[in-house]
Amino acid sequence: MIITETRTVFWEDGQVCLIDQRKLPETFEIARCSTHFEVAEAIQSMVVRGAPAIGIAAAFGMAQAALHSAATDRQALYADLMAAAEVLRKARPTAANLSWAVAQMLRYAERSEHQDVTALKQGLLAHAQRMADDDVRINKQIGAHGAALVPEVATIIHHCNTGSLATVFWGTALGVIRSAHMQGKRLHVLVDETRPRLQGAKLTSWELLQLGIPHTIIADGASGYFMRRRRVDLCLVGADRIAANGDVANKIGTYNLAIVAREHNVPFYVAAPWSTVDMSLAHGDLIEIEERSADEVTMINGVRIAPDGACAANPAFDVTPHHYISGIITEYGVLRPPYTVSLAQLAARIQEGKV
Ligand code: MRU
């Protein structure tokens, strides 16, 4: 089973290797990037997608830029890294993990004790590798904290893809579902298809099938129908950026789901690593929302479905206000409202090295 053993992002023979998510579920293929420019292009074109996965891809891209640099002193190497950071950061704007990962690599270069440039380059590669390993560990911690919220028998609505494919391995919200399933809980997942890129229908379903987790794909607009007609125990989604007040940017359609969940008293949980939290933004309206090509809406798998001449808008994310969110599941535990307090307290404990 591919998804139980393969990492989504890994380093091999000087190349950044990525499961090519544009080709799933039909074809399983590894895309290989030889330069950080190719990594940026792979992020932009969604060969790799999902906030944590694009962060780690960018970290390896930074290592690649260092290894390819002709710099012979630390200062020149740092200048080359700054230029690479600019290219990678621009690839996609909304996911906090991308700029976080690039900043981590720059910080390592700045603070490393390696005076020798060759050693520093190797140190940067080792640091990216550590970040990839950390991502797996963190996801499993999120899974353990989140699984405690899932009843023994549960129907869960999930939006987009937040599984192994959206991370290095395991997943965030889908990782919670995976962990709960492994504890023997009897789950049924209602999988939002997630127009326009269909991450739910194509990727989440592909992962759940391999994990043997019962599920049903539903149209995004069907969640209200299901909440009225049958018992839904909780909604579980991921996040691309979380503001200091707990507002959450996530895949377009998340906000609608949260409103419907509130109407039906269904708990609505967000699962994300701390690297998705952006304490510099006071609220979610300050989050930059990526606008993608209208073709993603007017076409499906390269075939136009809208009339010629019709216009379309394609915001890739929306912001769910904090008051719709029952809890934010992180590797440090489950945060509860008021998030201005719980996020600030956790940020302080992390800063002081107390967690
Ligand atoms: O545009 P994508 O596919 O990169 O968006 C990713 C998401 O929005 C996911 O919903 C996810 O929650 C964030 S990554 C675990």
Side-chain angles (χ1 to χ4, degrees):
M1 279 189 296
I2 293 162
I3 210 62
T4 53
E5 43 205 51
T6 313
R7 286 190 175 196
T8 298
V9 184
F10 58 97
W11 178 268
E12 197 172 79
D13 299 333
Q15 294 180 313
V16 183
C17 302
L18 307 164
I19 296 179
D20 190 338
Q21 302 191 38
R22 296 167 311 176
K23 304 210 168 137
L24 289 171
E26 293 86 2
T27 312
F28 181 84
E29 214 173 282
I30 301 294
R32 292 170 189 276
C33 303
S34 301
T35 66
H36 68 278
F37 294 106
E38 289 179 16
V39 174
E41 165 60 25
I43 293 171
Q44 212 292 318
S45 62
M46 290 173 78
V47 169
V48 60
R49 33 75 41 210
I54 65 178
I56 301 303
F60 279 127
M62 289 289 284
Q64 212 166 29
L67 291 166
H68 292 175
S69 164
T72 51
D73 62 72
R74 278 181 72 133
Q75 225 178 351
L77 180 61
Y78 195 76
D80 285 348
L81 282 171
M82 289 286 279
E86 190 64 12
V87 171
L88 287 159
R89 265 198 218 106
K90 274 197 199 140
R92 292 189 76 188
T94 304
N97 312 60
L98 177 54
S99 42
W100 170 85
V102 166
Q104 291 287 311
M105 293 296 284
L106 287 174
R107 219 163 81 119
Y108 178 88
E110 230 171 346
R111 297 186 178 181
S112 163
E113 279 164 12
H114 292 302
Q115 289 308 321
D116 172 54
V117 170
T118 312
L120 178 52
K121 290 177 179 181
Q122 287 305 325
L124 280 158
L125 176 58
H127 193 60
Q129 189 60 58
R130 264 194 306 278
M131 287 168 66
D133 296 343
D134 281 351
D135 183 71
V136 181
R137 179 181 50 77
I138 286 167
N139 291 332
K140 290 186 176 173
Q141 288 170 336
I142 291 172
H145 291 303
L149 302 168
V150 177
E152 286 301 320
V153 180
T155 298
I156 302 170
I157 299 191
H158 174 273
H159 194 67
C160 196
N161 175 267
T162 64
S164 249
L165 291 169
T167 61
V168 173
F169 190 69
W170 201 264
T172 56
L174 211 63
V176 170
I177 291 170
R178 186 171 180 168
S179 298
H181 170 73
M182 285 187 64
Q183 290 173 359
K185 295 188 173 176
R186 290 184 11 240
L187 311 179
H188 192 99
V189 186
L190 296 174
V191 175
D192 270 0
E193 62 170 349
T194 318
R195 281 280 289 148
R197 291 290 294 234
L198 300 170
Q199 288 94 331
K202 291 183 177 211
L203 306 176
T204 300
S205 177
W206 186 74
E207 291 197 35
L208 290 173
L209 274 173
Q210 290 181 64
L211 295 168
I213 301 177
H215 64 283
T216 305
I217 301 169
I218 60 171
D220 298 338
S223 49
Y225 170 90
F226 282 101
M227 287 189 215
R228 257 186 97 91
R229 290 290 287 256
R230 61 185 274 185
R231 189 186 161 85
V232 172
D233 296 282
L234 66 157
C235 295
L236 264 172
V237 302
D240 287 81
R241 196 178 288 258
I242 300 174
N245 69 342
D247 290 352
V248 168
N250 192 51
K251 180 54 55 195
I252 193 77
T254 303
Y255 178 32
N256 301 48
L257 181 63
I259 293 171
V260 177
R262 170 57 54 86
E263 173 66 22
H264 294 88
N265 291 318
V266 174
F268 188 92
Y269 287 102
V270 172
W274 185 253
S275 51
T276 305
V277 176
D278 183 349
M279 293 299 284
S280 75
L281 299 182
H283 56 80
D285 291 338
L286 299 170
I287 297 174
E288 184 181 351
I289 300 295
E290 177 184 9
E291 288 278 342
R292 294 187 65 87
S293 163
D295 289 351
E296 292 185 348
V297 175
T298 57
M299 299 170 89
I300 294 184
N301 285 346
V303 178
R304 191 168 173 96
I305 52 158
D308 283 341
C311 295
N314 188 14
F317 303 94
D318 58 26
V319 173
T320 300
H322 57 90
H323 55 267
Y324 288 109
I325 298 167
S326 314
I328 300 176
I329 308 161
T330 73
E331 63 270 40
Y332 300 110
V334 181
L335 301 179
R336 298 287 183 178
Y339 296 111
T340 34
V341 176
S342 52
L343 283 165
Q345 281 174 346
L346 179 54
R349 279 167 54 219
I350 292 171
Q351 186 80 24
E352 291 161 12
K354 288 191 178 152
V355 285

